[in-house]
Amino acid sequence: MTRCLVCAGEPKGYSFRALEVQTLHVRDYNGEKRVQALGSFRDWTVCEDCARRRLEETLSPGKRLAKACLPFLLVLVGGIFWMLLVHEEAFALRLLGPAAIFCGLAGTVSSVRRAVVQRAQFLKLPREEALKRAAWSCALSAAPNKNGDNDLTYIPVDEETRGLDRKQMVLRYDLLPPIAAQALERLGAEREG
């Protein structure tokens, strides 16, 4: 059994198997296109301490939320100072202030909203299920998210995922339809194998 993916501690805890999805964003004159391919299966373990810590951070997001909101609040304050310091003869430059204020407010509200929604989702779950979801969240944040130019995402190999149809796979995991079909085939073969 592998060691904890987060802290490299004892392997007692939650074990996960995930299917890697590699996404390459190709930009050209006609816009952006995505090219996807399935990677290999990954086996991860997250210890109970890391899962418990993540669950506590999610249920009491104070420090994590402050850390996430700080850059946006700095942009907001910078926008206010910019508006106060730039005089009216430079009207075009003065517009940067309201733009910075808007960006700061939007980022702060988005971060707070994300934390509140995630907290509400975890509070609805039984304690053991919440710990398992927190462990999965730990595994996703500790797993590699880039491989060269490719973005890496992961599909959990579990009964819930196997029960999805192609359209649900496309929506939930942001897959292209042919890749969703391939993923379902590989997940089915994984169950049989």
Side-chain angles (χ1 to χ4, degrees):
M1 192 174 218
T2 60
R3 298 183 89 54
C4 176
L5 182 65
V6 180
C7 68
E10 290 300 314
K12 279 178 41 182
Y14 300 92
S15 296
F16 299 103
R17 189 162 179 82
L19 178 60
E20 181 183 83
V21 179
Q22 298 181 9
T23 304
L24 177 64
H25 297 275
V26 179
R27 293 167 184 86
D28 62 6
Y29 294 114
N30 298 327
E32 182 177 321
K33 297 176 185 169
R34 291 182 305 153
V35 177
Q36 289 183 330
L38 295 178
S40 58
F41 286 98
R42 304 285 180 189
D43 293 311
W44 298 321
T45 302
V46 176
C47 68
E48 291 177 11
D49 290 337
C50 292
R52 194 173 298 109
R53 204 172 314 121
R54 175 60 64 96
L55 182 60
E56 289 169 7
E57 287 175 3
T58 303
L59 296 178
S60 305
K63 288 182 181 178
R64 203 169 93 193
L65 189 58
K67 188 177 177 182
C69 289
L70 183 64
F72 298 117
L73 292 174
L74 290 174
V75 168
L76 175 76
V77 170
I80 291 171
F81 280 125
W82 186 265
M83 281 184 59
L84 294 175
L85 295 177
V86 175
H87 300 290
E88 288 186 28
E89 59 267 2
F91 181 72
L93 287 177
R94 193 171 171 141
L95 287 176
L96 292 175
I101 291 171
F102 174 77
C103 291
L105 281 173
T108 302
V109 168
S110 174
S111 296
V112 169
R113 184 174 178 271
R114 188 179 312 116
V116 167
V117 166
Q118 190 176 31
R119 182 178 188 271
Q121 288 173 345
F122 275 75
L123 284 174
K124 289 180 187 176
L125 298 172
R127 177 84 175 160
E128 189 57 37
E129 180 66 24
L131 276 170
K132 187 174 182 179
R133 293 254 176 114
W136 175 251
S137 175
C138 274
L140 287 181
S141 62
N145 57 8
K146 286 291 246 186
N147 181 13
D149 290 337
N150 296 325
D151 293 338
L152 299 178
T153 55
Y154 302 94
I155 300 172
V157 178
D158 58 13
E159 290 305 315
E160 181 183 348
T161 307
R162 287 185 180 116
L164 299 176
D165 64 7
R166 194 174 85 177
K167 284 185 180 182
Q168 291 170 330
M169 288 284 282
V170 167
L171 293 174
R172 184 175 289 184
Y173 299 109
D174 196 25
L175 299 175
L176 298 172
I179 299 300
Q182 287 178 12
L184 286 171
E185 285 177 24
R186 291 203 39 203
L187 291 174
E190 177 73 12
R191 181 192 306 182
E192 294 168 5

